[in-house]
Amino acid sequence: MKIVIIGGVAGGATAAARLRRLDEKAEIVLFEKDAYVSYANCGLPYHIGGTIEHREELFLQTPEGFKSRFEIDARVLSEVIAIDPAQKTVKVKDRLNGITYTEEYDKLIVSTGARPVKPKIEGVDSEHVYTLRNVPDMDRIKSAVDKKRGESNGQEATASAVIVGAGFIGLEMAENLKKAGLTVTVIEQADQVMGTVDYPMATMVHQYLRSRGINLLLSETVTAFEPEGDRLLVQTASEKTIATDMVILSIGVRPETALAKEAGLKIGSLGGISVNDYMQTSDPNIYAVGDAVEVINPVTGKPALIPLAGPANKQARIVADNIIMGNTKAYKGTIGTSIAKIFDLSVASAGASERLLSREGINYITSISHAGSHAGYYPDALPLSIKINFVPDGKLLGAQVVGFDGVDKRIDLLAQVIRNGGTIHDLQEIEHAYAPPFSSAKDPVNMAGFIAENILVGHVKIVHWQEMKNLPPNAMVVDIRTVEEYESGHIESAVNIPLDELRKRLPELPVDKSIYVYCAVGLRGYTAARILMQHGYKEVYNLSGGYKTYTCIQQEEQGVADEWDLFPVIGDDGEVRQVYEQ
C-alpha cells in the first residue's frame, strides 16, 4: 500500500510515524511545502522571547531522521498543488528547482493546517507587519526583535510592538515580546481578551496584563498601517495613532482547504473539510486531520473549528489505525480544552462559554468561585478562580480557570467531566490527590460542584455582577465582611453587618425587603444567606464570585486611565501630527 501525506508538523508527521509502526511494508511519502517537516509549533513564541534559547530545540524530526528511523520519504520544499481523486494522484511542485511531477497513492491524508487571517486593510502587506504560524515566520520576527534590541545599544529600550488580536497566541506573544525588552500594545476588537473565556474571567486577565506593563486597547479596530520612516503608524477606528516598530497579526486562522475544494471534497458549513467519525472525507480513499477539518463539539453536537495541536495528534493516530486496520476507530470530537501562560498567570478553558451557549439557545446557569491553589495554612497558596456553566438538570457544559498555580490540573479534571457528559454532582465526587502543598481536602473543583448543587437545590439564590446594577426598589445590600474589609472598599449603598454579628443584628434587616449579601469571594455570603433564609427572609441573594469578581468588572467598566503621552511627529509630508507613543 502506498500512502501519501500532504503536510507535516502535528497531524501529518504523527500520522506518518504511526503508519510505519503499524505497517513495516507500506510505502509512505510525506510532502511538506516548507523547509521543516516536524517542529513544535506551540513553542515558537518562546524562542522569540528567549525562554527557549536554542532554535534547534524546536525541531522534533528531520527528513533524514524520518528516513533513517522510519523509512519514510519526507520531502520538504515540496508543495502539493492539486489532488486528482479519480486518478488517485497528487501533483507536486518542487519549490527548490521548480519541477512539477505527479505522485500516485492508494490512500491520501490531507493535513494542510490553517492560514493566519489577514484583514484587507491599508498597509497590511508592509514588511513590518508579521504573522506567526511557522518557523520562517518565527525567524523573521526574532530577527526584527534582535535588530531593534541591538539598535538600543544598551540604552533604555525604545523598540515597540503592536499585537492585533488578543487570543491565546496574541497574549503569548505579548509576554514574550515584553520579555525581549519591547514595549507592547495589544489591540482587540472585542471588549475582552481570550474569547474562549467569559467576561468576568477575562477582566482578571485584563488587570494582570496592565500590571505587567502591557498596554491594552479593547473594543478597538485597526483601520490602517501607515509607513513612517522605518516605523509604522497604526491607525484605529477611534482615531488613535500608535507609533510602533512592528505589528504582529494574531486575529485567528482559517482552514487551508483550497486543495480539498479544487479536488471536489465536501466542505463543511464552517469552511473546514467535512469528515466522518473515522476522519474520512467524502472520498473514501482520502482522510483529513488537524486544523483544516471540521469536527463535532460534543457539548453542542454541532460542527466546530478547533485548531489545537492535541486534537490534531489524536486524529492523526486514529487515521493511521483506520488506514491500516480498516475503519475501526472513531474520533469523538473535541470540547476545545486549552490553556495559556501569560507571564505568571495561567488561563484555561474547556467546553462551552456563555457566548456559545447563548448563540445555540441553550438555557444555562453559571457560577463563579474563588479558592487557593492549595491549603491556605501551607505557605504560598495562590489565588485560583473557577467559573462553570451548567444546565438546570446539572449537566456540566463549560469551565474556565484563572490562577497562578494548579490551573492545568483543575481544567483537566473539569474537561473530563464535560467530555464524559458528566454533571456538577460528578465534580463533588472527584477523588484527587491531597496533601497541603498540593490542594485542600475539598479541592476547588469539588467546591465548584458543591456551590452549583446549592444553587440547583435551592439552598441559595445567586445574583450576578450585571444584575447588581438594576436591583429592585426595595432591595437592601449587605456587606457581611469585617469592618476593615468594608472600609477598604465596598459596593455603593451597602450597609456593613459582619457575618459574626449577623444573628444579633437581624432586627436591622426588614423581612419584607429583598436582601443582597456579599463577601470577598462568596463563601461567607452563602453562610449569611442560609442564616437569613432560616430566619424567615424569603428573598435573599448571594453575589456570585463575591466582591472580588464585582470589583474586577467595575474597574473594567469604569475604564483604565490612558497612561500614554502624546508627542509630535513630523511626517514625510512635513505635517506635524500628534501620536501616542508607547
Side-chain angles (χ1 to χ4, degrees):
M1 181 189 302
K2 183 175 181 178
I3 305 159
V4 168
I5 302 170
I6 305 174
V9 198
T14 297
R18 176 68 173 172
L19 285 165
R20 176 57 72 223
R21 293 188 185 103
L22 295 176
D23 189 339
E24 182 65 18
K25 296 181 179 179
E27 182 181 356
I28 304 169
V29 182
L30 187 156
F31 294 107
E32 170 55 53
K33 67 179 181 180
D34 292 326
Y36 308 95
V37 66
S38 180
Y39 56 90
N41 186 279
C42 298
L44 302 181
Y46 299 100
H47 178 57
I48 294 170
T51 300
I52 299 174
E53 184 177 357
H54 302 293
R55 181 175 178 274
E56 306 78 48
E57 295 175 18
L58 296 170
F59 299 111
L60 308 177
Q61 192 56 274
T62 64
E64 295 76 20
F66 266 120
K67 183 67 176 176
S68 61
R69 179 167 296 183
F70 298 107
E71 191 56 32
I72 290 171
D73 184 2
R75 307 178 194 176
V76 296
L77 296 173
S78 298
E79 182 178 6
V80 174
I81 57 176
I83 302 170
D84 188 337
Q87 299 298 317
K88 297 174 71 174
T89 62
V90 296
K91 184 181 290 186
V92 185
K93 181 177 181 179
D94 186 325
R95 298 177 68 182
L96 196 60
N97 55 35
I99 296 174
T100 300
Y101 61 94
T102 299
E103 194 84 24
E104 295 180 344
Y105 66 83
D106 294 308
K107 299 291 182 182
L108 178 67
I109 301 174
V110 179
S111 180
T112 46
R115 66 184 186 278
V117 173
K118 212 169 182 182
K120 294 181 179 180
I121 59 177
E122 181 184 347
V124 74
D125 293 323
S126 165
E127 63 177 332
H128 300 298
V129 177
Y130 304 86
T131 58
L132 179 62
R133 190 66 184 169
N134 53 35
V135 173
D137 291 341
M138 175 193 75
D139 289 341
R140 285 190 291 270
I141 295 171
K142 183 160 178 57
S143 176
V145 169
D146 290 345
K147 179 183 177 183
K148 287 297 177 184
R149 292 174 68 185
E151 288 174 357
S152 68
N153 196 28
Q155 303 300 313
E156 185 178 349
T158 56
S160 62
V162 167
I163 298 171
V164 183
F168 280 55
I169 298 298
L171 295 189
E172 287 173 351
M173 280 301 301
E175 172 193 350
N176 282 283
L177 290 174
K178 186 71 175 178
K179 284 184 174 180
L182 278 70
T183 302
V184 179
T185 295
V186 176
I187 301 177
E188 170 56 52
Q189 190 172 27
D191 63 352
Q192 66 165 83
V193 302
M194 307 180 88
T196 58
V197 304
D198 294 323
Y199 185 70
M201 305 297 275
T203 59
M204 289 186 268
V205 183
H206 298 169
Q207 289 192 15
Y208 180 72
L209 284 168
R210 291 176 177 125
S211 76
R212 296 304 299 256
I214 302 297
N215 301 314
L216 194 57
L217 293 181
L218 301 172
S219 302
E220 186 67 273
T221 303
V222 174
T223 57
F225 302 110
E226 180 184 332
E228 188 70 56
D230 62 350
R231 306 187 84 197
L232 279 181
L233 299 180
V234 181
Q235 310 288 353
T236 73
S238 67
E239 299 185 349
K240 281 187 173 68
T241 300
I242 306 164
T244 189
D245 294 297
M246 67 177 65
V247 171
I248 312 293
L249 293 180
S250 184
I251 300 171
V253 295
R254 289 197 182 100
E256 188 59 82
T257 57
L259 279 174
K261 286 180 182 178
E262 292 169 5
L265 301 182
K266 183 181 178 181
I267 303 299
S269 59
L270 301 179
I273 301 172
S274 180
V275 294
N276 62 17
D277 291 346
Y278 305 110
M279 303 306 296
Q280 197 172 30
T281 70
S282 54
D283 184 304
N285 294 308
I286 303 176
Y287 294 76
V289 300
D291 297 354
V293 305
E294 287 185 14
V295 296
I296 296 299
N297 183 333
V299 175
T300 64
K302 294 184 178 181
L305 295 171
I306 302 179
L308 295 170
N313 276 275
K314 295 177 180 69
Q315 294 162 14
R317 182 182 175 89
I318 287 171
V319 163
D321 287 6
N322 289 338
I323 287 176
I324 300 301
M325 298 182 289
N327 285 347
T328 58
K329 286 193 173 181
Y331 183 67
K332 298 178 182 178
T334 176
I335 60 172
T337 305
S338 53
I339 187 168
K341 171 187 171 296
I342 309 168
F343 298 100
D344 297 323
L345 187 72
S346 297
V347 185
S349 65
S353 64
E354 287 195 63
R355 186 180 299 103
L356 176 58
L357 295 172
S358 298
R359 188 167 66 236
E360 295 296 331
I362 298 173
N363 185 30
Y364 66 92
I365 301 169
T366 184
S367 174
I368 300 174
S369 56
H370 304 286
S373 55
H374 58 248
Y377 58 82
Y378 188 87
D380 301 324
L382 297 170
L384 184 79
S385 300
I386 296 178
K387 184 177 188 293
I388 57 174
N389 301 325
F390 52 99
V391 292
D393 68 1
K395 184 177 180 181
L396 186 64
L397 301 182
Q400 298 147 33
V401 187
V402 175
F404 296 91
D405 182 41
V407 170
D408 52 346
K409 72 175 181 178
R410 271 59 183 230
I411 200 65
D412 287 344
L413 292 172
L414 291 158
Q416 294 317 304
V417 173
I418 297 170
R419 274 196 64 87
N420 294 331
T423 71
I424 56 98
H425 306 293
D426 295 314
L427 299 183
Q428 302 174 50
E429 297 171 6
I430 282 178
E431 185 174 339
H432 64 284
Y434 163 62
F438 303 103
S439 182
S440 300
K442 291 181 287 188
D443 188 80
V445 172
N446 299 139
M447 291 300 298
F450 296 147
I451 293 168
E453 182 188 52
N454 286 335
I455 295 169
L456 290 182
V457 301
H459 286 167
V460 67
K461 297 175 183 177
I462 59 170
V463 59
H464 294 290
W465 62 272
Q466 62 268 43
E467 298 168 312
M468 292 294 288
K469 297 178 180 179
N470 298 296
L471 296 180
N474 69 333
M476 184 173 183
V477 180
V478 181
D479 185 326
I480 55 85
R481 298 175 300 159
T482 65
V483 173
E484 291 76 16
E485 289 175 285
Y486 176 83
E487 290 179 346
S488 68
H490 58 269
I491 295 176
E492 189 176 357
S493 80
V495 298
N496 181 218
I497 302 179
L499 177 60
D500 293 344
E501 301 175 13
L502 183 58
R503 290 181 180 87
K504 296 178 181 178
R505 297 176 61 177
L506 288 176
E508 299 177 33
L509 305 178
V511 178
D512 60 345
K513 284 195 172 187
S514 298
I515 309 296
Y516 293 81
V517 298
Y518 72 89
C519 63
V521 298
L523 182 58
R524 285 175 289 172
Y526 169 66
T527 301
R530 292 301 301 157
I531 292 172
L532 293 171
M533 291 170 69
Q534 293 177 81
H535 279 82
Y537 293 84
K538 303 297 183 185
E539 294 297 320
V540 181
Y541 301 86
N542 183 30
L543 178 59
S544 181
Y547 190 64
K548 177 174 180 176
T549 296
Y550 181 85
T551 51
C552 275
I553 296 167
Q554 283 297 104
Q555 290 175 21
E556 191 68 30
E557 299 276 305
Q558 293 167 5
V560 175
D562 193 343
E563 298 178 355
W564 298 354
D565 294 322
L566 281 168
F567 77 107
V569 166
I570 301 176
D572 293 337
D573 55 5
E575 293 293 323
V576 177
R577 64 191 72 183
Q578 297 295 319
V579 178
Y580 283 91
E581 175 68 355
Q582 306 168 52

Short mmCIF file of all heavy atoms in Angstrom, two decimals, residues 416-456:
data_model
loop_
_atom_site.label_atom_id
_atom_site.label_comp_id
_atom_site.label_asym_id
_atom_site.label_seq_id
_atom_site.Cartn_x
_atom_site.Cartn_y
_atom_site.Cartn_z
N GLN A 416 -12.60 16.48 31.67
CA GLN A 416 -13.01 15.08 31.57
C GLN A 416 -14.46 14.89 31.97
O GLN A 416 -15.17 14.07 31.39
CB GLN A 416 -12.09 14.21 32.44
CG GLN A 416 -10.66 14.17 31.95
CD GLN A 416 -10.55 14.02 30.44
OE1 GLN A 416 -11.09 13.07 29.86
NE2 GLN A 416 -9.87 14.96 29.79
N VAL A 417 -14.92 15.65 32.95
CA VAL A 417 -16.34 15.57 33.32
C VAL A 417 -17.21 16.05 32.16
O VAL A 417 -18.23 15.44 31.83
CB VAL A 417 -16.62 16.39 34.60
CG1 VAL A 417 -18.12 16.45 34.89
CG2 VAL A 417 -15.87 15.78 35.78
N ILE A 418 -16.80 17.15 31.52
CA ILE A 418 -17.57 17.67 30.37
C ILE A 418 -17.57 16.66 29.23
O ILE A 418 -18.62 16.35 28.66
CB ILE A 418 -16.98 19.01 29.90
CG1 ILE A 418 -17.09 20.07 30.99
CG2 ILE A 418 -17.69 19.49 28.63
CD1 ILE A 418 -16.32 21.35 30.71
N ARG A 419 -16.41 16.12 28.89
CA ARG A 419 -16.31 15.15 27.78
C ARG A 419 -17.18 13.93 28.03
O ARG A 419 -17.76 13.35 27.10
CB ARG A 419 -14.87 14.72 27.57
CG ARG A 419 -14.06 15.62 26.66
CD ARG A 419 -12.80 14.90 26.20
NE ARG A 419 -13.12 13.75 25.39
CZ ARG A 419 -13.32 13.78 24.07
NH1 ARG A 419 -13.24 14.92 23.42
NH2 ARG A 419 -13.58 12.68 23.40
N ASN A 420 -17.24 13.49 29.26
CA ASN A 420 -18.00 12.29 29.59
C ASN A 420 -19.48 12.56 29.81
O ASN A 420 -20.22 11.66 30.22
CB ASN A 420 -17.40 11.62 30.84
CG ASN A 420 -16.01 11.08 30.58
OD1 ASN A 420 -15.67 10.71 29.47
ND2 ASN A 420 -15.18 11.04 31.62
N GLY A 421 -19.91 13.82 29.54
CA GLY A 421 -21.32 14.14 29.74
C GLY A 421 -21.72 14.18 31.19
O GLY A 421 -22.89 13.95 31.53
N GLY A 422 -20.74 14.48 32.07
CA GLY A 422 -20.99 14.45 33.50
C GLY A 422 -21.70 15.68 34.02
O GLY A 422 -22.00 16.63 33.29
N THR A 423 -21.97 15.69 35.31
CA THR A 423 -22.74 16.74 35.96
C THR A 423 -21.94 17.41 37.06
O THR A 423 -20.83 16.98 37.41
CB THR A 423 -24.03 16.15 36.57
OG1 THR A 423 -23.67 15.34 37.71
CG2 THR A 423 -24.80 15.31 35.56
N ILE A 424 -22.56 18.44 37.62
CA ILE A 424 -21.92 19.14 38.74
C ILE A 424 -21.80 18.20 39.95
O ILE A 424 -20.94 18.40 40.81
CB ILE A 424 -22.68 20.42 39.09
CG1 ILE A 424 -24.14 20.17 39.40
CG2 ILE A 424 -22.56 21.42 37.96
CD1 ILE A 424 -24.48 20.06 40.84
N HIS A 425 -22.63 17.16 40.00
CA HIS A 425 -22.52 16.19 41.10
C HIS A 425 -21.24 15.37 40.95
O HIS A 425 -20.64 14.97 41.96
CB HIS A 425 -23.74 15.27 41.10
CG HIS A 425 -25.04 16.02 41.14
ND1 HIS A 425 -25.44 16.75 42.23
CD2 HIS A 425 -26.01 16.17 40.19
CE1 HIS A 425 -26.61 17.33 41.97
NE2 HIS A 425 -26.97 16.99 40.75
N ASP A 426 -20.82 15.13 39.72
CA ASP A 426 -19.55 14.43 39.50
C ASP A 426 -18.38 15.26 40.00
O ASP A 426 -17.37 14.70 40.46
CB ASP A 426 -19.36 14.13 38.01
CG ASP A 426 -20.41 13.15 37.48
OD1 ASP A 426 -20.65 12.14 38.16
OD2 ASP A 426 -20.97 13.42 36.41
N LEU A 427 -18.49 16.58 39.92
CA LEU A 427 -17.41 17.43 40.43
C LEU A 427 -17.23 17.23 41.93
O LEU A 427 -16.11 17.22 42.45
CB LEU A 427 -17.71 18.91 40.14
CG LEU A 427 -17.85 19.34 38.69
CD1 LEU A 427 -18.08 20.84 38.61
CD2 LEU A 427 -16.63 18.94 37.88
N GLN A 428 -18.34 17.06 42.62
CA GLN A 428 -18.27 16.86 44.08
C GLN A 428 -17.57 15.57 44.44
O GLN A 428 -16.92 15.47 45.48
CB GLN A 428 -19.69 16.83 44.66
CG GLN A 428 -20.50 18.09 44.37
CD GLN A 428 -21.94 17.94 44.84
OE1 GLN A 428 -22.18 17.56 45.97
NE2 GLN A 428 -22.88 18.24 43.96
N GLU A 429 -17.69 14.58 43.57
CA GLU A 429 -17.19 13.23 43.88
C GLU A 429 -15.79 12.97 43.34
O GLU A 429 -15.24 11.89 43.54
CB GLU A 429 -18.17 12.20 43.34
CG GLU A 429 -19.55 12.29 43.99
CD GLU A 429 -20.58 11.42 43.29
OE1 GLU A 429 -20.20 10.66 42.37
OE2 GLU A 429 -21.76 11.49 43.68
N ILE A 430 -15.22 13.93 42.60
CA ILE A 430 -13.88 13.71 42.07
C ILE A 430 -12.90 13.43 43.21
O ILE A 430 -12.83 14.16 44.19
CB ILE A 430 -13.40 14.94 41.26
CG1 ILE A 430 -14.06 14.94 39.88
CG2 ILE A 430 -11.88 14.93 41.11
CD1 ILE A 430 -13.70 16.13 39.03
N GLU A 431 -12.17 12.34 43.06
CA GLU A 431 -11.16 11.98 44.06
C GLU A 431 -9.81 12.50 43.59
O GLU A 431 -9.33 12.11 42.52
CB GLU A 431 -11.11 10.45 44.22
CG GLU A 431 -10.19 9.99 45.32
CD GLU A 431 -10.28 8.49 45.55
OE1 GLU A 431 -11.30 7.88 45.17
OE2 GLU A 431 -9.33 7.92 46.11
N HIS A 432 -9.23 13.36 44.36
CA HIS A 432 -7.99 13.99 43.96
C HIS A 432 -6.89 13.68 44.98
O HIS A 432 -7.17 13.34 46.13
CB HIS A 432 -8.17 15.51 43.85
CG HIS A 432 -8.50 16.17 45.14
ND1 HIS A 432 -9.75 16.12 45.73
CD2 HIS A 432 -7.74 16.90 46.00
CE1 HIS A 432 -9.75 16.78 46.86
NE2 HIS A 432 -8.53 17.27 47.06
N ALA A 433 -5.66 13.80 44.51
CA ALA A 433 -4.52 13.61 45.41
C ALA A 433 -4.41 14.82 46.33
O ALA A 433 -4.33 15.95 45.86
CB ALA A 433 -3.24 13.44 44.60
N TYR A 434 -4.43 14.57 47.63
CA TYR A 434 -4.42 15.69 48.57
C TYR A 434 -3.25 15.59 49.55
O TYR A 434 -3.01 14.57 50.17
CB TYR A 434 -5.72 15.76 49.37
CG TYR A 434 -5.59 16.61 50.62
CD1 TYR A 434 -5.29 17.98 50.51
CD2 TYR A 434 -5.71 16.07 51.90
CE1 TYR A 434 -5.12 18.77 51.64
CE2 TYR A 434 -5.56 16.85 53.03
CZ TYR A 434 -5.26 18.19 52.90
OH TYR A 434 -5.08 18.97 54.01
N ALA A 435 -2.54 16.67 49.65
CA ALA A 435 -1.62 16.98 50.74
C ALA A 435 -1.53 18.51 50.74
O ALA A 435 -1.72 19.14 49.69
CB ALA A 435 -0.25 16.35 50.51
N PRO A 436 -1.29 19.12 51.89
CA PRO A 436 -1.34 20.59 51.97
C PRO A 436 -0.55 21.35 50.91
O PRO A 436 -1.01 22.40 50.45
CB PRO A 436 -0.80 20.88 53.38
CG PRO A 436 -1.18 19.66 54.16
CD PRO A 436 -1.06 18.51 53.21
N PRO A 437 0.62 20.85 50.43
CA PRO A 437 1.33 21.63 49.41
C PRO A 437 0.65 21.59 48.04
O PRO A 437 1.01 22.37 47.16
CB PRO A 437 2.71 20.94 49.34
CG PRO A 437 2.82 20.15 50.59
CD PRO A 437 1.44 19.73 50.92
N PHE A 438 -0.31 20.66 47.84
CA PHE A 438 -0.87 20.45 46.51
C PHE A 438 -2.33 20.86 46.36
O PHE A 438 -2.77 21.24 45.27
CB PHE A 438 -0.73 18.98 46.11
CG PHE A 438 0.68 18.48 46.14
CD1 PHE A 438 1.12 17.69 47.19
CD2 PHE A 438 1.58 18.83 45.15
CE1 PHE A 438 2.41 17.23 47.24
CE2 PHE A 438 2.88 18.38 45.19
CZ PHE A 438 3.31 17.58 46.24
N SER A 439 -3.10 20.76 47.39
CA SER A 439 -4.53 21.05 47.27
C SER A 439 -5.10 21.27 48.66
O SER A 439 -4.37 21.46 49.63
CB SER A 439 -5.24 19.88 46.56
OG SER A 439 -6.62 20.18 46.39
N SER A 440 -6.43 21.26 48.74
CA SER A 440 -7.14 21.29 50.02
C SER A 440 -7.95 20.00 50.12
O SER A 440 -8.17 19.32 49.11
CB SER A 440 -8.08 22.50 50.08
OG SER A 440 -7.35 23.70 49.95
N ALA A 441 -8.39 19.68 51.30
CA ALA A 441 -9.19 18.47 51.47
C ALA A 441 -10.40 18.50 50.56
O ALA A 441 -10.84 17.48 50.01
CB ALA A 441 -9.59 18.30 52.93
N LYS A 442 -10.99 19.69 50.42
CA LYS A 442 -12.04 19.91 49.42
C LYS A 442 -11.41 20.76 48.32
O LYS A 442 -11.23 21.97 48.48
CB LYS A 442 -13.25 20.61 50.04
CG LYS A 442 -14.02 19.74 51.03
CD LYS A 442 -15.23 20.45 51.60
CE LYS A 442 -14.83 21.53 52.59
NZ LYS A 442 -16.02 22.09 53.30
N ASP A 443 -11.06 20.10 47.24
CA ASP A 443 -10.37 20.79 46.15
C ASP A 443 -11.27 21.88 45.56
O ASP A 443 -12.50 21.79 45.62
CB ASP A 443 -10.00 19.78 45.06
CG ASP A 443 -9.11 20.38 43.99
OD1 ASP A 443 -7.91 20.49 44.23
OD2 ASP A 443 -9.65 20.77 42.94
N PRO A 444 -10.68 22.93 44.97
CA PRO A 444 -11.50 23.96 44.32
C PRO A 444 -12.50 23.40 43.30
O PRO A 444 -13.58 23.97 43.12
CB PRO A 444 -10.45 24.84 43.64
CG PRO A 444 -9.26 24.75 44.53
CD PRO A 444 -9.25 23.33 45.01
N VAL A 445 -12.15 22.29 42.64
CA VAL A 445 -13.11 21.67 41.71
C VAL A 445 -14.28 21.08 42.47
O VAL A 445 -15.44 21.20 42.06
CB VAL A 445 -12.41 20.61 40.84
CG1 VAL A 445 -13.42 19.82 40.02
CG2 VAL A 445 -11.39 21.27 39.92
N ASN A 446 -14.00 20.40 43.60
CA ASN A 446 -15.09 19.91 44.45
C ASN A 446 -15.98 21.06 44.90
O ASN A 446 -17.21 20.98 44.86
CB ASN A 446 -14.54 19.21 45.69
CG ASN A 446 -13.70 17.99 45.40
OD1 ASN A 446 -12.67 17.78 46.03
ND2 ASN A 446 -14.10 17.17 44.45
N MET A 447 -15.34 22.16 45.32
CA MET A 447 -16.09 23.32 45.82
C MET A 447 -17.00 23.90 44.73
O MET A 447 -18.13 24.30 45.01
CB MET A 447 -15.13 24.39 46.33
CG MET A 447 -14.39 24.02 47.60
SD MET A 447 -15.52 23.70 48.99
CE MET A 447 -16.33 25.30 49.15
N ALA A 448 -16.51 23.94 43.49
CA ALA A 448 -17.35 24.42 42.40
C ALA A 448 -18.60 23.57 42.27
O ALA A 448 -19.70 24.08 42.02
CB ALA A 448 -16.56 24.42 41.09
N GLY A 449 -18.44 22.25 42.46
CA GLY A 449 -19.59 21.36 42.41
C GLY A 449 -20.54 21.56 43.58
O GLY A 449 -21.76 21.55 43.42
N PHE A 450 -19.99 21.76 44.79
CA PHE A 450 -20.83 22.00 45.97
C PHE A 450 -21.67 23.27 45.79
O PHE A 450 -22.87 23.30 46.10
CB PHE A 450 -19.97 22.13 47.23
CG PHE A 450 -19.20 20.88 47.59
CD1 PHE A 450 -17.95 20.97 48.19
CD2 PHE A 450 -19.71 19.62 47.34
CE1 PHE A 450 -17.23 19.84 48.52
CE2 PHE A 450 -19.01 18.47 47.67
CZ PHE A 450 -17.76 18.59 48.26
N ILE A 451 -21.02 24.32 45.31
CA ILE A 451 -21.71 25.61 45.12
C ILE A 451 -22.83 25.46 44.09
O ILE A 451 -23.95 25.94 44.28
CB ILE A 451 -20.72 26.69 44.70
CG1 ILE A 451 -19.75 26.99 45.86
CG2 ILE A 451 -21.43 27.97 44.27
CD1 ILE A 451 -18.56 27.84 45.46
N ALA A 452 -22.54 24.75 43.00
CA ALA A 452 -23.55 24.56 41.96
C ALA A 452 -24.73 23.76 42.49
O ALA A 452 -25.89 24.08 42.18
CB ALA A 452 -22.93 23.86 40.75
N GLU A 453 -24.47 22.75 43.29
CA GLU A 453 -25.57 21.96 43.85
C GLU A 453 -26.43 22.82 44.77
O GLU A 453 -27.67 22.73 44.76
CB GLU A 453 -25.03 20.76 44.62
CG GLU A 453 -26.16 19.88 45.18
CD GLU A 453 -25.64 18.80 46.11
OE1 GLU A 453 -24.90 19.15 47.06
OE2 GLU A 453 -26.00 17.63 45.91
N ASN A 454 -25.79 23.66 45.59
CA ASN A 454 -26.56 24.54 46.48
C ASN A 454 -27.52 25.43 45.68
O ASN A 454 -28.64 25.72 46.11
CB ASN A 454 -25.61 25.42 47.30
CG ASN A 454 -24.91 24.63 48.39
OD1 ASN A 454 -25.41 23.61 48.86
ND2 ASN A 454 -23.73 25.11 48.79
N ILE A 455 -27.07 25.86 44.50
CA ILE A 455 -27.93 26.69 43.64
C ILE A 455 -29.09 25.86 43.10
O ILE A 455 -30.25 26.30 43.15
CB ILE A 455 -27.10 27.28 42.48
CG1 ILE A 455 -26.04 28.24 43.02
CG2 ILE A 455 -28.01 28.00 41.48
CD1 ILE A 455 -25.01 28.67 41.97
N LEU A 456 -28.80 24.66 42.64
CA LEU A 456 -29.83 23.83 41.99
C LEU A 456 -30.90 23.37 42.98
O LEU A 456 -32.08 23.30 42.61
CB LEU A 456 -29.18 22.62 41.31
CG LEU A 456 -28.33 22.91 40.07
CD1 LEU A 456 -27.81 21.62 39.47
CD2 LEU A 456 -29.15 23.67 39.02
#
